[in-house]
Amino acid sequence: MSVKTHQYEVVIVGAGGAGLMAALYASQKASTAVISKLYPTRSHTGAAQGGISAALGNIEEDRPEWHTYDTVKGSDYLGDQDAIEFMCFKAPELVYELEHMGLPFDRTPEGRILQRPFGGHTNNETGKPVRRACHAADRTGHMILQTLYQQCIKNDVTFFDEFQVLDLIMVNGKAAGVVAIELATGDLHVFHAKAVIMATGGWGRVWEITSNAYAYTGDGAAIVLRKGLPLEDMEFFQFHPTGIYKLGILITEGVRGEGGVLINDKGERFMEKYAPHVKDLASRDVVSRAMYIEMKEGRGINGQRYLYLDVRPETVNKYAKIDGRTNPDGTPYQVTAEEILHKLPDIIDFCKTYLGVDPVKEPMPVQPTAHYAMGGIPTNVKTEVLADEKGTVVPGLYAAGENACVSVHGANRLGTNSLLDLVVFGKEAGVHAAEYATGAAFEPLPGDAADFARSQLDAILNSKGNERVADIAAEMKHEMMDKVGVFRTEEGMQEALNKIRELKERFQHIHIDDRGKTFNTDLLTAWEIGNLLDIAEVTAASALARKESRGAHSRDDYPKRDDQNWLKHTLAWRRDGEIELRYKPVVLTKYEPKERVY
Ligand SMILES: Cc1cc2nc3c(=O)[nH]c(=O)nc-3n(C[C@H](O)[C@H](O)[C@H](O)COP(=O)(O)OP(=O)(O)OC[C@H]3O[C@@H](n4cnc5c(N)ncnc54)[C@H](O)[C@@H]3O)c2cc1C
């Protein structure tokens, strides 16, 4: 394999919302390249539906302080409060910045950005849901991605599309570049850099039922872990309450924001029991758990593992009346089928296409779906990657977006806060990486810079066993869904961990059919499954150790949150084949942990 070398001051891995925002800012000061395994506009940010949060107060009173408190509470007090405050106070400025770039938000009749309610976002004085999610129909992420990509093209950002990064180059403890394979040729490329930003998105493909794209294989996190750096809070993975039954495809929380309700086999709107104040708009961990309990107790539809999400106008109007929901002008909230079609066009389309169900006429069968990684590569508010529990910075290495853990989402993310996280911390990453790069020199590149990347591929290509990658992946996904999902027990997690280790051993003996150079998806899929196995192992080990229930980590055997012993972040290293866990305190500023009531 030949190796080509490139040199840029800042190299960004990933062209989703976080990577593109970073690129826009980094490229203003430093020579910048964006490397992406997908064509940029195919990044998962484009699948985001419901909206981006900002306390604009366009429809009703709202304040960044309320947004901050809701996020702290939603995080089950595990989020770092300095970072959360920073993000929520920056939100209005960033949303207006997107608007000025040309993002076609939905509008109020006066021409302001329209906002809708979303789970966990409240008026802190009344406790009622507040309209905080800015949206472009149910394709907000698509619009963000297209807008940012256009801006990057306009500003001459350099892209290496369909290049998959396999390794991070570290010299003298500093980030010095990355190694990537060019998908079309199979050639290896070394990107020599002064600063590297990791923005590779999440890893929902660890689980069987997921809303995540096929490309969500945790590459960035796995690469960093292999460099001897830790991953933070990996036990916290969000299950979104409403995935299409069996397929996992997401039905946005915006459906419930527009008045849709969850219904069990008895025709009951069961969220009243679990969250009497905000009901169907409780935070995601609360709703997913309620759904599991309903199904476990036999109230799934026809006794099966699904429930109904009902957004038929007659249902919405019935419950809006019961809840006393009003429009901003105080008139009763009532909707027509046309309005639902207008507000949720893609959802209606998905349901018709994948289920043959028309949501304005029939309820949608849904089940919780693996959705979002709260944990990831640890960073501080400046997005600098951290090497340990003391906050030691890895010079030149930055991370932003879903693969990073700042931590603004703590143990549970609120809907619409990820798109916000991308633009706020994507921008920080771009600014700080460029600033660092302009003041730093290129570290000399070692002669063997590409060796580790090559050896990973060679190990797969030369493996002589009979194991099929697809079988190993299926067993991992099933085990993780069953035992490290919405509900967890000591025994189940231990079994999952043992199974993952067995699968990792079997992975040493795989067989792939394609040994060619061009577009070898067999090879790269195998490499990605290797990443998922590493991530699954860290997730199960971190979860097993945490003996409490908090946010998305819910244990049958330790059902209560335990602030005395567990108000702390997990850091996990992989050393000599073992997972080493250490802990660091949560940053608390204004808000003392309280019991969460919804
Ligand atoms: C279906 C769905 C709906 C959602 N809806 C919302 C919503 O309404 N509101 C909200 O706030 N959040 C939502 N989220 C969450 C949010 O969209 C994601 O967390 C966010 O878009 C992640 O952005 P990112 O920039 O970190 O990663 P992505 O947008 O996924 O981009 C990752 C990039 O990394 C690249 N990459 C990955 N690995 C490599 C590699 N090895 N080498 C090179 N490049 C690589 C990819 O090519 C891609 O360009 C949703 C998520 C899903 C799945």
Side-chain angles (χ1 to χ4, degrees):
M1 281 188 200
S2 59
V3 178
K4 298 189 179 122
T5 304
H6 313 258
Q7 200 178 59
Y8 292 89
E9 287 177 300
V10 178
V11 161
I12 299 168
V13 188
L20 294 180
M21 195 71 186
L24 270 180
Y25 277 88
S27 62
Q28 289 172 13
K29 282 212 172 145
S31 66
T32 300
V34 181
I35 307 173
S36 178
K37 69 177 178 179
L38 304 173
Y39 185 75
T41 51
R42 301 186 74 95
S43 304
H44 192 71
T45 297
Q49 302 169 351
I52 174 166
S53 54
L56 303 179
N58 277 357
I59 318 281
E60 57 192 336
E61 189 187 358
D62 198 8
R63 300 181 199 158
E65 291 88 344
W66 294 352
H67 190 183
T68 304
Y69 174 66
D70 287 340
T71 305
V72 170
K73 178 181 169 192
S75 81
D76 220 350
Y77 293 90
L78 194 76
D80 286 331
Q81 296 181 9
D82 54 344
I84 293 176
E85 190 166 354
F86 179 82
M87 178 177 81
C88 296
F89 276 76
K90 282 271 176 204
E93 177 190 322
L94 267 295
V95 166
Y96 289 133
E97 188 174 337
L98 290 174
E99 181 188 36
H100 296 166
M101 286 179 192
L103 200 147
F105 283 112
D106 287 0
R107 303 275 165 188
T108 67
E110 303 78 43
R112 295 205 186 99
I113 295 174
L114 189 60
Q115 297 184 279
R116 62 162 66 118
F118 241 78
H121 294 278
T122 65
N123 173 317
N124 286 184
E125 279 162 13
T126 63
K128 291 231 160 106
V130 72
R131 294 168 176 86
R132 188 178 288 151
C134 311
H135 54 91
D138 50 3
R139 0 183 136 96
T140 313
H142 174 87
M143 296 304 185
I144 290 180
L145 196 63
Q146 299 288 333
T147 303
L148 291 176
Y149 187 55
Q150 286 164 4
Q151 291 294 320
C152 284
I153 296 298
K154 180 176 150 207
N155 288 291
D156 288 329
V157 174
T158 307
F159 283 90
F160 290 85
D161 298 337
E162 302 192 332
F163 279 64
Q164 187 152 0
V165 171
L166 303 170
D167 190 24
L168 169 70
I169 305 169
M170 301 277 294
V171 179
N172 301 326
K174 300 178 188 169
V178 297
V179 186
I181 180 170
E182 182 179 359
L183 302 190
T185 62
D187 289 339
L188 286 183
H189 292 248
V190 167
F191 291 84
H192 189 196
K194 295 178 185 174
V196 174
I197 303 175
M198 285 294 189
T200 61
W203 44 87
R205 288 277 150 193
V206 162
W207 288 270
E208 198 167 28
I209 303 288
T210 178
S211 67
N212 285 187
Y214 282 96
Y216 257 25
T217 52
D219 300 2
I223 287 171
V224 165
L225 188 70
R226 280 177 206 139
K227 288 322 246 201
L229 293 167
L231 297 178
E232 181 172 345
D233 290 343
M234 293 297 283
E235 60 272 43
F236 297 103
F237 198 90
Q238 176 167 81
F239 280 72
H240 190 294
T242 57
I244 293 181
Y245 179 47
K246 286 190 179 162
L247 302 175
I249 297 170
L250 192 76
I251 304 289
T252 174
E253 200 168 299
V255 169
R256 282 169 287 140
E258 299 296 352
V261 290
L262 287 160
I263 303 282
N264 66 16
D265 192 48
K266 294 191 144 55
E268 294 161 341
R269 182 212 201 175
F270 57 87
M271 279 312 297
E272 277 168 353
K273 277 187 294 188
Y274 300 92
H277 298 291
V278 288
K279 299 171 190 159
D280 296 85
L281 286 175
S283 66
R284 290 177 178 169
D285 53 339
V286 175
V287 182
S288 287
R289 270 196 296 280
M291 292 172 74
Y292 255 74
I293 293 170
E294 288 295 308
M295 295 189 288
K296 202 167 123 193
E297 294 180 355
R299 294 187 292 280
I301 306 298
N302 301 322
Q304 305 282 312
R305 306 283 293 170
Y306 67 93
L307 292 150
Y308 280 143
L309 173 61
D310 195 343
V311 74
R312 290 175 297 176
E314 59 270 30
T315 311
V316 171
N317 294 341
K318 173 178 153 193
Y319 287 104
K321 214 167 172 182
I322 292 172
D323 294 348
R325 183 169 172 176
T326 54
N327 294 313
D329 64 4
T331 54
Y333 180 85
Q334 295 283 284
V335 293
T336 61
E338 289 68 42
E339 282 163 338
I340 300 220
L341 270 170
H342 177 70
K343 286 177 172 170
L344 301 164
D346 277 6
I347 293 302
I348 310 278
D349 202 38
F350 292 161
C351 285
K352 285 187 180 162
T353 307
Y354 297 110
L355 288 171
V357 165
D358 180 351
V360 295
K361 298 202 181 111
E362 293 164 83
M364 299 167 251
V366 292
Q367 75 182 123
T369 183
H371 185 57
Y372 184 83
M374 269 79 71
I377 305 167
T379 75
N380 57 23
V381 180
K382 287 163 79 178
T383 71
E384 293 165 319
V385 171
L386 305 176
D388 56 33
E389 68 280 19
K390 296 184 213 89
T392 309
V393 165
V394 182
L397 188 58
Y398 299 78
E402 190 170 336
N403 73 179
C405 180
V406 187
S407 130
V408 283
H409 309 301
N412 171 64
R413 171 173 76 82
L414 292 188
T416 68
N417 267 356
S418 170
L419 291 178
L420 178 62
D421 170 0
L422 305 184
V423 289
V424 170
F425 292 104
K427 175 175 174 177
E428 290 304 301
V431 168
H432 293 298
E435 201 176 270
Y436 171 86
T438 46
F442 281 99
E443 291 292 324
L445 212 54
D448 61 356
D451 283 11
F452 181 59
R454 186 184 291 109
S455 72
Q456 292 182 72
L457 299 181
D458 285 349
I460 297 169
L461 287 167
N462 300 331
S463 175
K464 297 267 184 308
N466 293 318
E467 293 283 355
R468 306 303 303 193
V469 175
D471 295 340
I472 293 177
E475 286 183 44
M476 169 193 69
K477 288 164 196 280
H478 186 76
E479 192 78 3
M480 290 297 285
M481 193 75 198
D482 217 25
K483 297 177 181 157
V484 197
V486 175
F487 274 108
R488 302 165 175 190
T489 63
E490 180 91 15
E491 198 189 356
M493 287 185 287
Q494 187 61 60
E495 282 168 13
L497 192 54
N498 297 346
K499 180 75 180 183
I500 300 301
R501 288 185 171 148
E502 176 204 315
L503 293 172
K504 288 185 81 162
E505 159 52 31
R506 282 169 53 192
F507 188 74
Q508 306 302 313
H509 311 284
I510 53 173
H511 170 87
I512 64 165
D513 298 320
D514 186 354
R515 315 231 152 202
K517 276 178 65 91
T518 53
F519 288 109
N520 191 340
T521 49
D522 244 14
L523 171 64
L524 290 167
T525 301
W527 182 75
E528 289 175 342
I529 300 300
N531 295 343
L532 290 176
L533 284 168
D534 279 357
I535 296 219
E537 184 187 23
V538 175
T539 303
S542 303
L544 186 59
R546 185 174 282 272
K547 294 191 165 41
E548 64 158 355
S549 288
R550 181 187 298 271
H553 176 64
S554 188
R555 294 186 59 148
D556 276 351
D557 41 2
Y558 296 92
K560 289 231 156 12
R561 196 176 83 198
D562 175 2
D563 290 332
Q564 202 71 35
N565 296 303
W566 289 102
L567 184 61
K568 55 189 181 185
H569 296 290
T570 307
L571 289 178
W573 285 258
R574 190 153 202 287
R575 289 199 171 123
D576 305 323
E578 297 288 323
I579 304 293
E580 181 183 326
L581 300 176
R582 291 194 222 151
Y583 296 90
K584 67 172 185 180
V586 174
V587 180
L588 303 177
T589 55
K590 294 189 190 138
Y591 307 102
E592 280 302 314
K594 285 201 283 206
E595 199 188 333
R596 285 197 306 168
V597 179
Y598 280 105

